[in-house]
Structure formats: C-alpha cells, structure tokens
Amino acid sequence: MRAGTHLDAIATGYASTNVPFVAEGGAAVASSLQFEYERAIERADAALRVFEIEAKHAQINYGKYALSGTIAEIVSRVDAAARLYDLTIVSQADPDCDTFDNQLPQELLLQAGGPLLFIPYTFRGAFKASRVGICWDGSRLAARALRDATPFITEADALTIITLNASDVPADASPDRLVKHLARKGLPAKTVSLQSDRGNLQSSILSIAADESLDLLIMGGYGHSRLQETVFGGVTREMFRSMTLPVLMSH
C-alpha cells in the first residue's frame, strides 16, 4: 500500500509422491495421485481466497495463482517465478513442525536471484520498517543485501549498523566507512559493535535488535547447494529457526 506496488500471491499445495503400491496396478496408483493433486490445489485455492479478501480491502493492485504438484515441481516453478520480482515475501513456518513449508523459503533464498523478506510465524500486526538494522561484516553477501534493501533504507527513520567481531572486517569495508558512505546519501546511521563467540552470533544480533527496538534486519544469507543438499551457514540457519522480527536476506 505504501509503495504503490503490484502484489502477486502464490499459494502452493503439495501432493505426496509416496502413494502405496496396490494390487490393481498402475491405474489405481494414477487415480490416487490425481486425488492427491486435486486436494492439494483445493488447499492452495482456499489460501488464495483469504488473500483476495484482504487485497481487495486494501485496494491494492494484485494477482494470484495456485500451484500443486510434487515438492520438486513446486520448488522449480516457484524459484522461476520469484526471479521476475523485485522482492519475494515469505513466512517463516513453525520451526517445531517438520513440513516442507520450512524448506521452500530456504530454497528460494538460494535460487530466486533477489531479496527475500522473511516474516516470523509469530509476527502480528502491520509491517513497518521505521527502525532498520544492517548486519555488516564487509562481505559480498552483506553488500548485496544492503543494495537490495535500498527502498527500505531510504525510507527508514533510523539506521543501525550491527557488526560482530569488527576486527575481522576488512579495513576498506569497515563499519565507519559504511557510515560515511550512507551519510553521503543523506542517510545518517549509528554503529553497534560487539565481540561474540562463533556459536552466539545469531543470538547476539537478535539481542541488539531488541535493545535498539528494530523493526527490520538486513543481512546476507549464507548457503549453497552441494550434491542436492542445501547447506547454510550457522547464523543464517539459526535465523531461520528463531527470528524474532522481519528479516530481509539476499544471497
């Protein structure tokens, strides 16, 4: 609503491929699969009906479509669709539930080619980005996230650059240099630096976010696919599990 943008909603319904073999043979298996697909598309359509009510009420320009199929098919199609958008918004699934909803956003981070805005599953109320935290370690991924988040950064009321273990950051990409870079654009920022053990980086970031009353975190998403296995860095992996505020990630 604030940006006057077009919003497309994609709802996914997964069909299980673990259809048991039955004595009647292939025809019965095909029938069972078709039933699974039909139920999957019904679930997706139901979600979109809820979305459409909200979108019409908000008077925004929107589109919607439902996808059903196997997990692999849906991953491929949603990955491809996301590459056309400036921003993809995904919800963090309940980390206590072992569902594919937990995996799709992670796959999107690596394959979409653009920023993802993660909304915690516990989040309630309207999203705002008045107070924005920039996680900065001088890396390529941090720089990518910073650039991708420009629309949020330029509209923010306050910017906080968060750096852990600043001595590890290249001098030519130090937090102080980033402050000067942003100041040239008329974007004043302050820095918060902490020393933190490797195992506590994510909790340290969230602690700073709470202390600074941040509405949004911006960070690089570290990960790669290796022999069909998706592997994420420790901070990214832990943020998926226990984010406490919206997080914009870029890979």
Side-chain angles (χ1 to χ4, degrees):
M1 290 171 63
R2 288 185 60 186
T5 59
H6 177 91
L7 177 67
D8 280 339
I10 302 175
T12 58
Y14 309 113
S16 171
T17 55
N18 297 321
V19 178
F21 181 81
V22 290
E24 289 85 354
V29 172
S31 176
S32 296
L33 277 173
Q34 183 60 35
F35 177 70
E36 284 277 328
Y37 286 133
E38 289 173 357
R39 291 192 60 189
I41 203 70
E42 287 174 3
R43 292 192 294 270
D45 283 336
L48 288 176
R49 285 194 290 272
V50 175
F51 164 79
E52 187 166 28
I53 291 171
E54 297 293 337
K56 287 182 176 179
H57 178 72
Q59 297 182 328
I60 61 173
N61 186 18
Y62 73 92
K64 61 185 178 71
Y65 57 100
L67 296 179
S68 72
T70 65
I71 291 172
E73 290 169 343
I74 288 177
V75 167
S76 178
R77 292 189 64 186
V78 177
D79 283 347
R83 293 169 190 149
L84 301 180
Y85 295 95
D86 300 312
L87 178 69
T88 301
I89 304 169
V90 295
S91 58
Q92 174 210 20
D94 186 341
D96 293 330
C97 297
D98 185 18
T99 74
F100 187 68
D101 288 333
N102 289 4
Q103 295 175 248
L104 181 58
Q106 298 175 21
E107 293 289 337
L108 277 169
L109 177 62
L110 298 181
Q111 301 297 332
L116 267 67
L117 177 60
F118 288 86
I119 305 296
Y121 78 98
T122 56
F123 186 84
R124 299 292 183 272
F127 170 73
K128 63 177 182 177
S130 297
R131 301 180 62 83
V132 174
I134 302 168
C135 298
W136 184 254
D137 60 3
S139 67
R140 179 192 69 81
L141 293 177
R144 169 70 188 271
L146 178 67
R147 295 187 185 99
D148 284 346
T150 296
F152 293 106
I153 291 172
T154 54
E155 294 294 324
D157 295 329
L159 298 174
T160 300
I161 299 169
I162 301 170
T163 300
L164 304 182
N165 306 325
S167 60
D168 296 336
V169 178
D172 290 325
S174 68
D176 289 340
R177 289 205 174 192
L178 178 56
V179 168
K180 293 177 181 178
H181 171 70
L182 293 173
R184 286 192 292 269
K185 299 182 176 184
L187 301 171
K190 73 177 206 176
T191 61
V192 176
S193 297
L194 280 181
Q195 288 297 118
S196 179
D197 296 333
R198 291 290 177 186
N200 296 320
L201 295 178
Q202 184 258 0
S203 58
S204 295
I205 291 171
L206 292 181
S207 177
I208 294 172
D211 291 343
E212 298 293 326
S213 301
L214 299 181
D215 303 310
L216 174 67
L217 272 179
I218 297 165
M219 62 184 292
Y222 292 77
H224 62 275
S225 294
R226 183 178 63 199
L227 298 177
Q228 297 184 335
E229 179 186 12
T230 302
V231 181
F232 288 100
V235 177
T236 304
R237 183 176 59 252
E238 290 303 314
M239 194 65 74
F240 285 145
R241 293 176 180 169
S242 55
M243 63 180 65
T244 55
L245 74 165
V247 178
L248 186 144
M249 287 190 193
S250 290
H251 174 69

